[in-house]
Amino acid sequence: MVDVLRYTAFAAEPDGGNPAGVVLDANSLTDADMLRIAAEVGYSETAFVTGTTDDAVSVRYFSPDAEVPFCGHATVALAVALTERQGPGDRVFATAAGAVALETSRAADGTVQVAMTSVEPATRPFEPDALLQLLGLTAADIAEGHPLLESFAGNWHPVVVLADRELFHQFRFAPEPLAELMRERGWSGTVTVLHPTGPGEYEARNLFPVGRITEDPATGSAAASTGAYLRAVHMAVPGDRIVIRQGRHVGRPSILLVDVPATGGITVRGGATRI
């Protein structure tokens, strides 16, 4: 019998956040076992601890359909679960995407706070016509100063920043054609659609039709990729904190805090609570 813990990460209110499964001892599980468990749990991702050394915790992530290289909200959930059992401190998670640094602490109310620093990020251009067509958008809808790029901080995410608030809230898409495009392009994370709501603040819709849901309530890897993207296009400078609000469209409001350093990995801050 495998013990599966359930947490919700990055919640902005009691019913918010993104649920994740956590398995603290997966040493003896096969790939098929982990995929089956993730499907039974039914969340967008479940994190499995497959080994522990003095230097790092080895972690794998499975959606109900496949293994994914990295998952930010499940990483935060796992960091909280370990801190509740072992106490706060610094940890490194060894993932398929690379080493992810975690700092955990306890707030005055006893809740665990997590600072997750991504692997080395990157950005690159991509051919956007097919994606824009599937979302019912045109190049004229893109916010000034926010070029279309793919951004990586554990997973590759195409980043689309829309100028118009109503368009951001109202655009629709057919899940299966978008999922097919994502598979073709190797986008194992989400399609990240943003709208600037104020200085250093964005609302996000993270499209995830390759899972059992079509939009993700809170996406840590996309938040880190957003920080990398904003740094690359000079819409964020070192020392900035970016506030990302997500999940309103799926009824699970979430908030992710993104710290942008001059170089290196992007830090995403948040917490998780037991379901």
Side-chain angles (χ1 to χ4, degrees), residues 44-122:
S44 56
E45 279 92 9
T46 295
F48 296 84
V49 175
T50 57
T52 303
T53 68
D54 291 339
D55 297 322
V57 178
S58 296
V59 186
R60 296 174 69 182
Y61 307 91
F62 283 79
S63 79
D65 297 315
E67 185 172 10
V68 296
F70 177 67
C71 173
H73 80 278
T75 294
V76 169
L78 173 57
V80 170
L82 291 175
T83 299
E84 289 174 345
R85 287 153 182 78
Q86 302 170 3
D90 297 346
R91 293 176 174 85
V92 173
F93 288 179
T95 77
V100 178
L102 286 302
E103 298 178 13
T104 62
S105 59
R106 286 195 181 273
D109 62 2
T111 59
V112 177
Q113 301 298 308
V114 179
M116 173 184 70
T117 299
S118 76
V119 299
E120 183 69 31

Side-chain angles (χ1 to χ4, degrees), residues 109-202:
D109 62 2
T111 59
V112 177
Q113 301 298 308
V114 179
M116 173 184 70
T117 299
S118 76
V119 299
E120 183 69 31
T123 59
R124 65 190 183 193
F126 71 99
E127 191 288 307
D129 290 350
L131 177 60
L132 292 177
Q133 183 176 5
L134 287 176
L135 300 184
L137 304 172
T138 71
D141 297 320
I142 305 305
E144 184 178 355
H146 293 79
L148 289 158
L149 295 175
E150 292 180 10
S151 186
F152 173 84
N155 294 310
W156 283 104
H157 299 261
V159 180
V160 180
V161 185
L162 298 180
D164 185 78
R165 177 180 179 275
E166 292 305 316
L167 181 61
F168 169 81
H169 288 296
Q170 294 180 15
F171 80 84
R172 298 290 183 267
F173 62 96
E176 185 49 42
L178 182 59
E180 183 177 352
L181 179 66
M182 293 173 71
R183 287 189 289 267
E184 290 174 359
R185 298 290 180 88
W187 296 334
S188 56
T190 60
V191 173
T192 301
V193 184
L194 303 168
H195 171 65
T197 56
E201 297 192 4
Y202 291 81

